[in-house]
Amino acid sequence: MITVVGMDGGPLSAPAAAALADATCVAGAERHLAAAPVPERARRVAIGSLPGALEEVLAWRGTAVVLASGDPGFFGVVRALRERGARPRVVPAVSSAALAFARIGLPWDDAIVVSAHGRADRGRCVGRALAAALAHPKAAILTAPGGAGPEAFAGELLDAGRDVYVAQRLGTAEEDVARVTAAAGADRDWAHPNVVLSVDPDRAVSPAASWLQGHQGAPDGWALGEADFDHRGSMITKAEVRALALAHLAPRPGRTVWDVGAGSGSVAVECARFGAHAVAFERGPEDCARIRANAARHGVRVRVVEGEAPGTLEGAAGRTGVDAAFFGGGGDDAIEAAVALCRPERIVVALASVDRIKSVRDLLLLHGYEVGGTQLQASRLADLPNGSLRLAATNPVTLIRATARPAPSGGRPPDSGGNRVATS
Ligand SMILES: C[S@@+](CC[C@H](N)C(=O)[O-])C[C@H]1O[C@@H](n2cnc3c(N)ncnc32)[C@H](O)[C@@H]1O
């Protein structure tokens, strides 16, 4: 029998204490073994490498306890045990995410909790956790030492106007919850374990009590009409075209989407409504102000970068990297630059002119993308004065859709510019 006991610094519950008293084998991190009343006679297994320690626990012919932090069923060891066929008894404690929000006195049913731990490469784990936190008003980030600590998150969260807290060693004598107010302040040695909290000060408490924890899923409608955005003349991607573009961009929490030559920013705003971290690139201050206003109108955050692409793309990927990019404006040079800088996994290019269809397709093929395209020519129902209907044609647009070919086994794809900033 394996019992998993969660620890949060509070006194052990009666079932947890009884399980420990009975145990002939106790596994856990050094700090948990030191803090728990492990019986003298019990074999102690310090968890350095999790697979090795679990192997030993699973082979143990007696009563075993695995000590873990917080709620072990929440981003914890229960999953690893079940994956190995065990059916443990679980005695949870309070999760570090719950403790951290409690320490700053905020509800957290409206927060997302993301983990920067992971077996995939560290840069990818940091990138998706950061992207999710940037797009959501309230987040807890479970960090990891070695490149996925507070220093990897605080700067971009502060730039986005978030209040940032680092809750260190919760429930221990060294507990400390620090508010970070400047990126430079985040570049210090933090005590691990810690949780980063990111809170939009204007939305620290969601206006309506929600019934669904965290992110609310797909937005309430998408491929919105042009009237749902302020736009200059017809400088907006039409709803029918946007629908197909969004389908390929696949925006969702943890993904970063660029909208290059964003115009009204309708694509960026819709991506943000799906939970993606959206970045819009536009030339002039007026257009940029309009994009910000459109984002505010829809209650989402879009980072707006003002200036001429491709110059503005340089350095814009930050730590999140770029998962998908939409080009509604800008020339082939902007596409080329984005591919070289951050090799988005998915690309969509909307072309009104027929001249560039071949050059864009060839450019993306040359860079190792699978490329397809569709010309869309929607005709909308419109009323005639006599009460009958006509079909009102919108301008034809060609959508080029490209997907990066998977990397050859274990390696990067050919021509890969390298996406996320290495953090370890
Ligand atoms: C694998 S997750 C386990 C989460 C755990 N199951 C829970 O409910 O808190 C490990 C991460 O949880 C956070 N964590 C765990 N214990 C903590 C503590 N005492 N203080 C602050 N953060 C903690 C850290 O972000 C750490 O890297």
Side-chain angles (χ1 to χ4, degrees):
M1 165 54 85
I2 300 171
T3 304
V4 186
V5 169
M7 299 180 69
D8 59 13
L12 287 179
S13 64
L20 264 168
D22 266 2
T24 54
C25 172
V26 180
E30 293 284 10
R31 68 179 197 281
H32 291 138
L33 289 171
V38 178
E40 284 276 309
R41 63 186 157 77
R43 172 160 176 70
R44 298 163 81 96
V45 180
I47 299 183
S49 127
L50 187 65
L54 291 188
E55 211 172 288
E56 197 168 338
V57 170
L58 288 166
W60 189 254
R61 303 254 159 258
T63 49
V65 163
V66 179
L67 301 171
S69 59
D71 177 353
F74 187 69
F75 293 103
V77 73
V78 174
R79 167 166 289 105
L81 284 166
R82 292 293 297 221
E83 279 169 358
R84 288 161 175 78
R87 298 182 72 88
R89 193 162 73 98
V90 183
V91 186
V94 180
S95 172
S96 55
L99 276 182
F101 278 113
R103 295 297 191 259
I104 62 165
L106 283 179
W108 67 294
D109 51 80
D110 50 358
I112 55 164
V113 182
V114 294
S115 170
H117 289 254
R119 290 179 205 146
D121 74 279
R122 193 33 60 88
R124 164 106 197 102
C125 294
V126 168
R128 69 185 175 197
L130 178 60
L134 285 167
H136 200 83
K138 199 192 273 185
I141 304 170
L142 303 180
T143 63
E151 64 288 349
F153 299 100
E156 289 190 49
L157 291 170
L158 289 168
D159 286 347
R162 300 290 193 251
D163 289 345
V164 177
Y165 304 86
V166 183
Q168 303 155 82
R169 294 195 178 151
L170 291 162
T172 71
E174 303 95 53
E175 173 174 318
D176 181 33
V177 181
R179 169 114 188 253
V180 185
T181 51
D187 221 1
R188 60 174 244 211
D189 282 338
W190 295 98
H192 280 275
N194 62 58
V195 178
V196 171
L197 298 184
S198 162
V199 180
D200 177 343
D202 297 325
R203 290 195 287 169
V205 180
S206 60
S210 61
W211 62 275
L212 176 64
Q213 201 252 311
H215 187 259
Q216 302 298 295
D220 181 16
W222 57 285
L224 303 172
E226 290 89 66
D228 289 312
F229 302 92
D230 185 17
H231 51 93
R232 176 164 52 87
S234 57
M235 292 283 283
I236 180 165
T237 306
K238 302 293 178 293
E240 294 84 352
V241 175
R242 214 175 325 114
L244 189 57
L246 288 167
H248 188 67
L249 295 169
R252 58 185 183 273
R255 307 256 298 176
T256 296
V257 185
W258 277 5
D259 182 1
V260 182
S264 67
S266 63
V267 171
V269 167
E270 292 231 43
C271 288
R273 279 167 57 88
F274 275 98
H277 167 46
V279 186
F281 297 84
E282 238 324 320
R283 271 198 196 106
E286 254 178 54
D287 287 325
C288 289
R290 192 177 293 110
I291 296 169
R292 286 191 195 94
N294 279 326
R297 179 171 167 185
H298 289 279
V300 292
R301 175 180 175 270
V302 170
R303 181 180 161 215
V304 181
V305 181
E306 184 183 319
E308 195 75 31
T312 43
L313 307 184
E314 183 100 29
R319 283 181 191 269
T320 64
V322 184
D323 297 288
F326 177 79
F327 295 85
D332 292 8
D333 54 348
I335 302 170
E336 183 119 48
V339 169
L341 286 166
C342 49
R343 194 174 174 83
E345 183 192 301
R346 287 158 181 243
I347 290 178
V348 178
V349 187
L351 297 169
S353 105
V354 292
D355 305 351
R356 289 177 56 216
I357 295 173
K358 189 163 178 350
S359 66
V360 168
R361 191 190 74 128
D362 289 353
L363 184 158
L364 291 166
L365 284 173
L366 182 73
H367 284 286
Y369 282 80
E370 276 162 18
V371 188
T374 310
Q375 191 242 63
L376 294 173
Q377 190 161 25
S379 293
R380 295 176 176 176
L381 293 182
D383 290 315
L384 280 170
N386 65 2
S388 63
L389 283 174
R390 73 180 182 95
L391 289 170
T394 56
N395 287 336
V397 171
T398 303
L399 269 195
I400 304 283
R401 284 164 290 159
T403 309
R405 289 205 190 97
S409 55
R412 285 188 159 176
D415 275 330
S416 168
N419 194 340
R420 293 174 167 80
V421 176
T423 54
S424 59

